[in-house]
Amino acid sequence: ELGPLRGFMWREKVSRLSQAQMDIFSVIKEAGHRLVTDQIITALENAHGAASVGTTKQNLAELTRQRVLNNQRESDPPGYGLPNWD
């Protein structure tokens, strides 16, 4: 669980996301578990009709850099998820 200050800082980061980044964040959060890139792209296509692979990967990298998401390859399931899912 995120502590109060850490939770506030995390919510502030989320509030500043672009629409494309918010779409990615929402797909992952709604899934409730980690997703790999292909699953995220498929979910975005299902929700919005189209998704750019390159732009999605750039946004995932930025969301990871900002620590809004993290990418755990050794998790079960592996992939991108919320930091408090560790």
Side-chain angles (χ1 to χ4, degrees):
E1 169 144 340
L2 298 173
L5 180 59
R6 189 169 169 214
F8 172 78
M9 293 168 58
W10 185 76
R11 282 190 299 276
E12 282 293 307
K13 288 179 188 178
V14 170
S15 72
R16 295 186 188 132
L17 299 179
S18 70
Q19 185 60 53
Q21 291 170 338
M22 184 56 82
D23 291 344
I24 292 168
F25 176 80
S26 296
V27 159
I28 294 170
K29 187 174 181 192
E30 287 173 19
H33 59 84
R34 294 185 176 281
L35 299 173
V36 295
T37 305
D38 288 344
Q39 293 171 309
I40 295 167
I41 292 168
T42 299
L44 290 169
E45 289 171 344
N46 290 339
H48 303 287
S52 164
V53 173
T55 301
T56 300
K57 287 181 177 182
Q58 287 175 340
N59 282 319
L60 285 167
E62 180 63 21
L63 290 167
T64 301
R65 188 188 68 73
Q66 292 179 18
R67 297 191 174 134
V68 172
L69 300 176
N70 63 17
N71 186 8
Q72 300 294 326
R73 293 177 184 96
E74 304 302 320
S75 293
D76 185 25
Y80 291 92
L82 304 184
N84 63 336
W85 289 354
D86 292 339

